[in-house]
Short mmCIF file of all heavy atoms in Angstrom, two decimals:
data_model
loop_
_atom_site.label_atom_id
_atom_site.label_comp_id
_atom_site.label_asym_id
_atom_site.label_seq_id
_atom_site.Cartn_x
_atom_site.Cartn_y
_atom_site.Cartn_z
N GLY G 76 42.98 -134.00 22.48
CA GLY G 76 42.08 -133.97 23.44
C GLY G 76 40.98 -132.83 23.30
O GLY G 76 41.41 -131.70 22.84
N HIS G 77 39.81 -133.12 23.76
CA HIS G 77 38.71 -132.11 23.85
C HIS G 77 38.29 -131.60 22.49
O HIS G 77 38.59 -132.29 21.48
CB HIS G 77 39.09 -130.99 24.83
CG HIS G 77 39.61 -131.49 26.14
ND1 HIS G 77 38.83 -132.00 27.11
CD2 HIS G 77 40.87 -131.63 26.46
CE1 HIS G 77 39.59 -132.29 28.15
NE2 HIS G 77 40.80 -132.19 27.72
N GLY G 83 38.31 -128.13 27.47
CA GLY G 83 39.39 -128.63 28.32
C GLY G 83 39.75 -127.67 29.37
O GLY G 83 38.98 -126.79 29.75
N MET G 84 41.06 -127.72 29.81
CA MET G 84 41.45 -126.77 30.74
C MET G 84 41.52 -125.39 30.22
O MET G 84 41.91 -125.20 29.10
CB MET G 84 42.98 -127.16 31.14
CG MET G 84 43.16 -128.56 31.64
SD MET G 84 42.40 -128.77 33.22
CE MET G 84 42.88 -130.51 33.60
N GLU G 92 42.69 -125.20 26.28
CA GLU G 92 43.48 -126.38 26.00
C GLU G 92 43.21 -126.97 24.55
O GLU G 92 44.12 -127.38 24.03
CB GLU G 92 43.18 -127.41 27.08
CG GLU G 92 44.10 -128.66 26.97
CD GLU G 92 43.51 -129.88 27.84
OE1 GLU G 92 42.75 -129.61 28.76
OE2 GLU G 92 43.95 -130.96 27.52
N ASN G 96 46.04 -128.51 22.01
CA ASN G 96 46.15 -129.89 21.72
C ASN G 96 46.09 -130.21 20.24
O ASN G 96 46.93 -130.95 19.70
CB ASN G 96 44.95 -130.58 22.47
CG ASN G 96 44.88 -130.51 23.87
OD1 ASN G 96 45.97 -130.23 24.49
ND2 ASN G 96 43.74 -130.84 24.51
N ILE G 155 46.87 -136.21 23.17
CA ILE G 155 47.60 -134.94 23.55
C ILE G 155 46.63 -134.07 24.41
O ILE G 155 45.56 -133.76 24.00
CB ILE G 155 47.98 -134.24 22.17
CG1 ILE G 155 48.81 -135.12 21.25
CG2 ILE G 155 48.70 -132.84 22.59
CD1 ILE G 155 50.15 -135.48 21.90
N HIS G 156 47.30 -133.72 25.48
CA HIS G 156 46.55 -132.79 26.46
C HIS G 156 47.44 -131.75 27.08
O HIS G 156 48.71 -131.84 26.88
CB HIS G 156 45.88 -133.61 27.62
CG HIS G 156 44.72 -134.38 27.23
ND1 HIS G 156 43.44 -134.00 27.47
CD2 HIS G 156 44.67 -135.57 26.59
CE1 HIS G 156 42.54 -134.97 26.97
NE2 HIS G 156 43.29 -135.85 26.38
N GLN G 157 46.82 -130.76 27.79
CA GLN G 157 47.69 -129.79 28.53
C GLN G 157 47.19 -129.89 30.05
O GLN G 157 45.95 -130.12 30.20
CB GLN G 157 47.57 -128.37 28.02
CG GLN G 157 47.66 -128.29 26.57
CD GLN G 157 48.97 -128.81 25.98
OE1 GLN G 157 49.95 -128.57 26.57
NE2 GLN G 157 48.90 -129.46 24.87
N GLU G 222 50.63 -135.00 28.72
CA GLU G 222 50.32 -133.70 29.18
C GLU G 222 51.55 -132.97 28.83
O GLU G 222 52.59 -133.08 29.52
CB GLU G 222 50.07 -133.75 30.67
CG GLU G 222 48.89 -134.64 31.19
CD GLU G 222 47.58 -133.97 31.09
OE1 GLU G 222 47.35 -132.75 30.57
OE2 GLU G 222 46.53 -134.53 31.56
ZN1 LIG L 8 42.77 -132.40 28.69
#
Side-chain angles (χ1 to χ4, degrees):
H77 313 283
M84 306 289 181
E92 184 195 344
N96 293 345
I155 304 295
H156 285 260
Q157 312 303 319
E222 301 275 3

